[in-house]
Amino acid sequence: MSSDASTWIHQLAGRFIVFDGPDGSGKSTQFRRLVRLATDAGLEVCEVREPGGTYVGEQIRKVLLDPDHQEEVDVRCEMLLFMASRAQLVQQKLRPAIAAGKLILADRFISSTLAYQGSAGGLSTDDILSVGRFALNDVWPDLFIIFDVDEKTAAGRLNPLLDRIELKSAEFHRKVRQGYLDQAKADPKGYAVIDARPDENTVHNQMLETIRQRLTKG
Ligand code: TYD
């Protein structure tokens, strides 16, 4: 493990960190690296990904990401399905992990709904947050880390087998990116934005430094 992180990473026990960003931002790679780093350091980690992470959530995931949908999925229906999957995740996985003092690392969370169904899909922040408050039932992350990337870099990182949401227009993805930046601007204490354009190791070091500064005593 990075010798630097070994001095402070244990302080993350009991914290809840979300990794989020546009498709192709590389957040999932960084997510896996932090899971590994924390696990190797002896922390108990609860790692979850959205949509999914529970049996019922994985069924909802299949419905949501199926590229063969013959009809447009209404954005309200889409938002409620993402939130339904999240409600199950909170009750089944996150609440017990919080009670056990584990480090919770989530690949996407309500910040994705605010960006995709909100900023890009047209739903209001207030509507999403009011459904979100009901679904999350007082569980809220300590920090949202947004991996920010321009479209060209993101496109180069995407798997050629795109899912239903990744197949949406360039304009949609521009709004998604802007949506994340707007969330961070509105809540600078709860969010950190990382420039995800550089190579993997550079982004990793930036991410560690951000976490150290924001969630530990140094
Ligand atoms: P996934 O294959 O998990 O993508 P990634 O590896 O980028 O996380 O697919 C998740 C897709 O669902 C992704 O395009 C973002 C979208 N999404 C929403 O539109 N709203 C949400 O609330 C969530 C959690 C994801």
Side-chain angles (χ1 to χ4, degrees):
M1 103 154 75
S2 136
S3 55
D4 185 37
S6 67
T7 61
W8 54 262
I9 198 156
H10 60 279
Q11 292 181 39
L12 297 181
R15 297 294 205 159
F16 177 6
I17 308 172
V18 171
F19 287 59
D20 216 331
D23 294 284
S25 62
K27 68 174 170 49
S28 300
T29 304
Q30 299 298 336
F31 172 79
R32 284 192 295 272
R33 285 187 68 166
L34 189 63
V35 168
R36 179 80 179 275
L37 192 67
T39 309
D40 286 353
L43 270 107
E44 277 204 88
V45 179
C46 169
E47 54 167 308
V48 292
R49 72 157 181 177
E50 283 208 340
T54 62
Y55 178 77
V56 75
E58 292 297 331
Q59 305 307 305
I60 296 173
R61 178 185 176 87
K62 282 187 202 142
V63 173
L64 279 164
L65 300 183
D66 183 354
D68 294 332
H69 276 285
Q70 299 298 311
E71 56 197 18
E72 189 67 21
V73 180
D74 182 77
V75 66
R76 285 164 191 265
C77 169
E78 195 173 72
M79 187 268 268
L80 290 167
L81 286 171
F82 278 114
M83 219 56 101
S85 167
R86 189 166 298 135
Q88 182 69 18
L89 188 71
V90 165
Q91 290 305 117
Q92 193 179 321
K93 290 255 177 91
L94 303 192
R95 226 174 259 295
I98 291 167
K102 293 185 182 176
L103 165 62
I104 300 176
L105 298 176
D107 188 345
R108 298 198 182 279
F109 204 58
I110 192 169
S111 36
S112 286
T113 314
L114 288 163
Y116 285 79
Q117 284 69 48
S119 305
L123 296 182
S124 76
T125 300
D126 283 352
D127 282 345
I128 295 173
L129 288 179
S130 69
V131 176
R133 270 191 289 276
F134 177 74
L136 301 188
N137 202 4
D138 285 336
V139 167
W140 197 259
D142 293 298
L143 184 64
F144 290 92
I145 303 180
I146 303 303
F147 292 85
D148 181 50
V149 75
D150 62 283
E151 272 165 78
K152 204 159 157 253
T153 311
R157 289 177 182 169
L158 281 181
N159 185 318
L161 295 172
L162 300 182
D163 66 40
R164 190 179 60 81
I165 289 172
E166 286 166 343
L167 283 167
K168 290 183 187 257
S169 70
E171 176 61 16
F172 181 89
H173 289 288
R174 255 193 302 281
K175 289 182 183 164
V176 166
R177 180 188 186 195
Q178 191 55 46
Y180 282 118
L181 297 176
D182 291 345
Q183 287 176 54
K185 209 167 163 196
D187 180 10
K189 281 207 174 118
Y191 282 69
V193 178
I194 287 182
D195 179 0
R197 285 169 305 175
D199 64 277
E200 189 186 316
N201 284 334
T202 306
V203 176
H204 180 70
N205 288 333
Q206 266 194 72
M207 173 193 74
L208 288 180
E209 187 51 23
T210 301
I211 293 175
R212 187 185 68 74
Q213 283 177 13
R214 301 288 288 267
L215 297 180
T216 76
K217 296 197 189 81

